[in-house]
Amino acid sequence: MKKVLLHVGTPKTGTSYLQDVLFRNRESLREQGILYPIDRFDGHFLAALDLMRLTWGGLETQAVGAWDRLAEEVREWPGTSIISHEIFSTASPTQIDRALTSFGEGVEVHLIVSVRDLVRQVPAEWQENVKHRSLVSFSHFLEMIRDPARDTRIGSWFWGAQEIPDILDRWGSTLPPEQVHLVTVPRPGAAPDELWRRFSHTFGLDGLELDLTPERANPSMGVPETALLRLINKRVTPVVDPPDYRPLVRELLAHQTLSRRTKSARLGLPPATHEWVQELSRTWVEEIQKRGYDVVGDVADLIGQPAEAFSDPDTATAADLLPPALDAIKALLVEGSRLRESEATLARDLDETRRELEIARRTPAEKTVQAMETSRSGRVALGAYRRLRRR
Amino acid sequence: MSSEPSVPGTARAWGWVAHLRAGGTTPWDAWTGDGVPTARVLPGAQQLELLRRLNLAGRAPDGLADRVLTAAAPGRGKPDLALVGAGRSPYGPQPVDPSLLPPDELIRVATSVLAEDLVALGVSTPPRRLHRIWHRRHRLAGDPIEVAGVRDHLASRGRPPGGPGAPVLVLGGPLDQMLADVWTRRCFERGSFGWLEWLRFWQQRDELPPRIDLAAVADRHRAQSPDVHVVLDRSQLPDLLAVRRLPPPVRQGSDAAELARRIATVVGLLVPPDERAALMTHTLLPRMPATTTPPVALPAEHRAWVQAAAERMARQLSRAGYAVVGDPRAVVPTQSVAPLETAGSPGAASGQQVLDLAVAMLVDDTWKGQG
């Protein structure tokens, strides 16, 4: 039976790790009958941009036709295919209809939604916004997501990607409940490989030979680090374009530098919001239990942990911001030095290439003169020739 | 979004879908008839309301209703919305009365359909003319709308730009006008930010778009040709080009530019970047229906920095030995572009104006045969 395992989110549920394992092991998976149709790590992200006609800081220009190519590979594969990207969670019913239709007839589609409690998802989504150039404060972000009208871009996107019953309605309404799989992210303190075990079981990867070395992740930052990044955004977004922002700010500063400061306060929710999201989550848990989906993990984990001391990123002091700021300056200086060295190497290579080009372009006469000037007899002969030609 | 007719209100929604497909114009809140599902999912409120507006505007071309009802609303706007009273899950965005949707939501759907039309038309190839090699050569740079007008006029007379040793004419004018021209032209090339956001981008960088930083443009060309003139007096241009007269430049209204900008975004999702620029410039621009809306104008909040930048440019052109045809102070704005007074967004077209143009282009597709 042809199967498509369609993993549509949600964001911040270990998706980067899962996709990294699938990408690195795609050849091995193929040999074992499972297709992960992709030729670059973000291939399914591009397919999602194409399917949903989304722009993404210019990346969308690389996505032209990506969904149709992906669907064609799936149609041609006789066994199981895996598609995974978290932004599929925001697709509209019409786009979902197109996606499911494009796999062709006689395919058993299994929907997989990995989910995490809103207590962790709300601050994580704000942080993700900050890592994508946002200037919005945490308190304003919370206001926007609590607005029932969802009139703002942030509110609309947040619930599109995080309202689990709605995602299941949109993606799963045409599927039998046993083909809808909900993978819950374990609560804090669980065994480090527990989430992978749940993914592996759901995707049918148990027992397969896979390289699980983590190479790509989307690590989180603490309170002062996120507050600092938001302040940096205020200064740099008008003058640093997205193609430079991604490697320098998101990757170098956020992922490789600030997220390594693991001892600082973690982002959480203010008490009133904490209470509100837990109340909302309880209604979701009841709804999910009624629907009879295949839940991998404990659906009650969606209610989240009790409130802890809240550290407000909007009121981080200069003393809080100084240590991560110094780390950021150091990282940028080291990167600046590396780039200077790289520039010097390139300049040397360029000089050398120019010299070689010059030599290659010399006329036979110039080459003869140069060769003659290297020996005494040659120089004598040249002198005689020049006297003869009065040069 | 449930499509089950047994869900209360859903049969009414399918009835409305059938009514709109048949050319009906009754608003959702006045609709009472029932119908049966004709697709797996109910179209969104945005798609349905756009179809109603098209029906109000005239008889839509065959097949358009289906295309509108299945069109994806591109970008990160609202998801497809449910109709209020059409019975659906308590989850998801709040259902809406479609007649109250802001124009922006309907424009998103309309641009999706128009972008597909444009891609289907393909890139138009300009007609080839006999090259009249005995005429005076020229190269053009500067204000892109002035340049395009002159270049196309000369090319149609067998005088394409270029050739060895061709003198370079850098065309300029008041800086506010040049900014409006660059933005408008960008809308018909690769797309752009919105007018106000684009102005803020340059203000924050304290720079000018490369095409209209006239001194820098002249410097770049002086590296290749000693004969570079910055032309600020348009009346002298025919003499410089050895023609009797030149047609006035054609400036698109702010509604046309904004609609093109939004179409360009969607076209960028359908074809590679180079093809997008060619489609926008060679296929859409010559076919864009004329409107009475003036071009974009500089809003009051941007006048101070533009004035300062223009004064700086005038000083540069006067002092650094550039060959300037006309008065260098001609780059300083003189309120030559009358500000538009539109609600909420001074200097740019309103959402309703842009929607009206989009609806007109969808209902009357004779524009596809123009150009």
Side-chain angles (χ1 to χ4, degrees):
Chain A
M1 180 64 164
K2 274 184 74 163
K3 268 190 197 176
V4 176
L5 308 182
L6 188 55
H7 178 214
V8 301
T10 59
K12 307 301 292 182
T13 55
T15 52
S16 295
Y17 176 66
L18 168 75
Q19 289 152 11
D20 183 43
V21 170
L22 293 171
F23 178 66
R24 282 187 295 109
N25 291 280
R26 62 193 184 283
E27 291 307 326
S28 156
L29 285 167
R30 181 186 276 266
E31 285 160 15
Q32 298 173 83
I34 297 174
L35 176 71
Y36 186 55
I38 200 165
D39 54 10
R40 53 189 268 187
F41 176 75
D42 59 357
H44 292 181
F45 173 56
L46 296 179
L49 293 184
D50 183 41
L51 175 74
M52 295 154 68
R53 295 203 171 168
L54 280 175
T55 54
W56 207 278
L59 271 179
E60 69 279 1
T61 58
Q62 299 168 41
V64 175
W67 175 265
D68 284 343
R69 286 193 295 275
L70 175 68
E72 189 181 352
E73 284 193 67
V74 169
R75 282 196 303 274
E76 286 173 359
W77 184 253
T80 297
S81 303
I82 296 177
I83 297 174
S84 171
H85 203 275
E86 53 275 17
I87 66 161
F88 282 121
S89 56
T90 63
S92 73
T94 311
Q95 291 157 352
I96 290 166
D97 188 43
R98 183 190 155 203
L100 297 178
T101 307
S102 67
F103 298 141
E105 298 290 329
V107 179
E108 187 175 291
V109 175
H110 285 251
L111 179 73
I112 298 168
V113 186
S114 48
V115 294
R116 191 168 74 147
D117 58 272
L118 284 174
V119 169
R120 287 181 286 177
Q121 291 293 68
V122 172
E125 276 281 345
W126 174 66
Q127 183 173 110
E128 203 57 28
N129 271 268
V130 173
K131 287 196 291 191
H132 283 88
R133 302 166 69 90
S134 173
L135 311 180
V136 73
S137 69
F138 192 40
S139 60
H140 188 206
F141 178 84
L142 295 178
E143 267 171 43
M144 286 190 279
I145 65 165
R146 291 194 68 165
D147 173 11
R150 302 181 188 176
D151 272 338
T152 57
R153 185 173 285 203
I154 283 181
S156 173
W157 181 263
F158 177 84
W159 293 112
Q162 295 293 347
E163 193 178 19
I164 299 164
D166 180 47
I167 295 168
L168 293 165
D169 271 342
R170 277 183 280 122
W171 275 102
S173 61
T174 59
L175 299 174
E178 62 273 17
Q179 283 172 226
V180 177
H181 312 272
L182 216 62
V183 180
T184 62
V185 174
R187 57 185 72 187
D193 64 345
E194 178 56 25
L195 179 59
W196 172 252
R197 289 202 312 108
R198 292 180 188 183
F199 274 135
S200 174
H201 167 75
T202 313
F203 282 88
L205 306 176
D206 287 349
L208 299 186
E209 283 291 315
L210 297 173
D211 172 9
L212 300 180
T213 318
E215 282 190 4
R216 199 182 298 260
N218 192 357
S220 61
M221 297 181 290
V223 171
E225 289 79 17
T226 316
L228 174 72
L229 194 61
R230 188 171 79 87
L231 293 178
I232 290 172
N233 284 348
K234 283 188 173 179
R235 298 289 177 97
V236 306
T237 48
V239 290
V240 177
D241 292 333
D244 293 325
Y245 182 93
R246 272 193 291 272
L248 290 174
V249 183
R250 187 175 154 81
E251 287 305 321
L252 176 65
L253 289 189
H255 289 169
Q256 293 168 30
T257 307
L258 297 175
S259 67
R260 293 194 177 154
R261 298 177 52 82
T262 52
K263 290 183 181 161
S264 50
R266 298 288 96 184
L267 280 168
L269 290 174
T273 311
H274 191 278
E275 196 176 317
W276 174 70
V277 301
Q278 286 204 308
E279 198 49 48
L280 180 65
S281 304
R282 282 189 192 94
T283 66
W284 290 6
V285 169
E286 278 174 32
E287 178 71 24
I288 290 164
Q289 284 169 333
K290 270 193 278 185
R291 293 188 186 182
Y293 299 135
D294 170 36
V295 177
V296 185
D298 185 354
V299 70
D301 283 350
L302 283 179
I303 295 166
Q305 296 293 291
E308 291 176 1
F310 171 62
S311 176
D312 187 354
D314 293 347
T315 57
T317 64
D320 295 332
L321 299 177
L322 182 61
L326 290 173
D327 281 356
I329 291 169
K330 179 184 162 194
L332 289 170
L333 288 174
V334 169
E335 177 67 2
S337 307
R338 189 188 68 77
L339 290 174
R340 276 173 59 82
E341 197 181 318
S342 160
E343 190 183 357
T345 307
L346 287 172
R348 275 196 301 277
D349 290 351
L350 188 62
D351 273 350
E352 203 170 302
T353 309
R354 277 200 184 118
R355 273 198 301 277
E356 283 170 10
L357 185 65
E358 212 173 283
I359 290 167
R361 278 182 174 165
R362 278 182 191 155
T363 60
E366 285 172 325
K367 286 180 184 166
T368 308
V369 170
Q370 195 179 32
M372 290 175 77
E373 279 178 342
T374 56
S375 67
R376 187 169 179 278
S377 56
R379 285 195 294 274
V380 171
L382 266 180
Y385 174 77
R386 282 170 179 153
R387 276 195 299 281
L388 196 64
R389 298 293 304 263
R390 294 181 185 167
R391 282 184 183 174
Chain B
M1 199 176 296
S2 175
S3 61
E4 289 294 317
S6 55
V7 178
T10 305
R12 182 180 155 227
W14 282 113
W16 197 48
V17 172
H19 169 67
L20 296 177
R21 275 183 189 281
T25 58
T26 308
W28 168 244
D29 65 352
W31 178 253
T32 52
D34 285 352
V36 292
T38 48
R40 281 205 285 191
V41 292
L42 256 175
Q46 297 99 316
Q47 285 83 355
L48 290 163
E49 181 61 16
L50 177 63
L51 180 55
R52 191 179 77 83
R53 304 285 178 97
L54 295 176
N55 292 342
L56 280 171
R59 185 180 158 73
D62 288 347
L64 183 63
D66 279 336
R67 293 180 58 212
V68 169
L69 293 181
T70 54
R76 280 207 200 191
K78 291 205 169 208
D80 291 357
L81 297 167
L83 299 168
V84 67
R88 50 156 294 137
S89 145
Y91 302 102
Q94 290 181 340
V96 292
D97 174 348
S99 64
L100 302 179
L101 282 169
D104 191 56
E105 285 299 317
L106 307 186
I107 294 169
R108 287 176 62 217
V109 181
T111 52
S112 198
V113 180
L114 287 168
E116 287 168 1
D117 283 341
L118 195 55
V119 172
L121 281 173
V123 178
S124 307
T125 315
R128 299 191 72 162
R129 305 277 177 183
L130 188 64
H131 191 169
R132 301 182 185 180
I133 52 171
W134 56 89
H135 274 291
R136 194 182 297 177
R137 297 176 193 281
H138 65 278
R139 277 185 201 278
L140 299 165
D143 183 311
I145 288 187
E146 294 278 358
V147 166
V150 175
R151 188 192 52 222
D152 293 349
H153 177 77
L154 294 178
S156 69
R157 278 155 183 74
R159 293 181 54 192
V168 180
L169 303 178
V170 181
L171 311 187
L175 184 55
D176 54 348
Q177 175 77 77
M178 289 198 287
L179 283 164
D181 286 353
V182 173
W183 180 80
T184 302
R185 185 72 186 180
R186 275 186 63 101
C187 293
F188 286 94
E189 293 169 346
R190 288 166 293 155
S192 172
F193 308 131
W195 169 232
L196 299 184
E197 198 184 346
W198 185 79
L199 284 173
R200 269 197 297 278
F201 174 89
W202 292 110
Q203 179 189 23
Q204 286 170 332
R205 294 186 175 216
D206 195 21
E207 289 175 15
L208 289 172
R211 287 192 266 196
I212 55 165
D213 190 349
L214 300 182
V217 174
D219 287 342
R220 278 200 300 276
H221 283 279
R222 280 204 292 205
Q224 279 108 40
S225 168
D227 197 2
V228 178
H229 295 268
V230 177
V231 184
L232 300 176
D233 180 355
R234 200 174 194 280
S235 68
Q236 297 194 45
L237 201 49
D239 278 349
L240 290 165
L241 290 163
V243 291
R244 259 186 235 159
R245 69 181 80 83
L246 289 166
V250 178
R251 294 192 159 88
Q252 295 288 334
S254 56
D255 50 355
E258 173 63 14
L259 182 59
R261 180 182 81 81
R262 299 186 58 162
I263 292 173
T265 304
V266 190
V267 174
L269 297 162
L270 304 177
V271 298
D274 288 348
E275 195 179 335
R276 163 168 66 175
L279 281 169
M280 295 303 297
T281 306
H282 301 306
T283 304
L284 182 62
L285 179 57
R287 290 173 173 79
M288 201 74 189
T291 68
T292 54
T293 314
V296 287
L298 202 64
E301 66 185 280
H302 287 281
R303 288 202 190 123
W305 77 265
V306 171
Q307 186 79 17
E311 299 276 359
R312 206 162 49 233
M313 187 188 289
R315 282 195 300 276
Q316 263 182 313
L317 293 173
S318 302
R319 291 177 187 167
Y322 296 97
V324 179
V325 180
D327 179 358
R329 287 199 58 78
V331 298
V332 180
T334 53
Q335 304 301 316
S336 58
V337 183
L340 284 173
E341 293 301 330
T342 49
S345 185
S350 69
Q352 190 59 50
Q353 287 172 307
V354 179
L355 177 60
D356 289 345
L357 178 58
V359 166
M361 288 176 73
L362 286 169
V363 170
D364 177 5
D365 63 0
T366 50
W367 61 274
K368 292 181 192 171
Q370 307 295 311

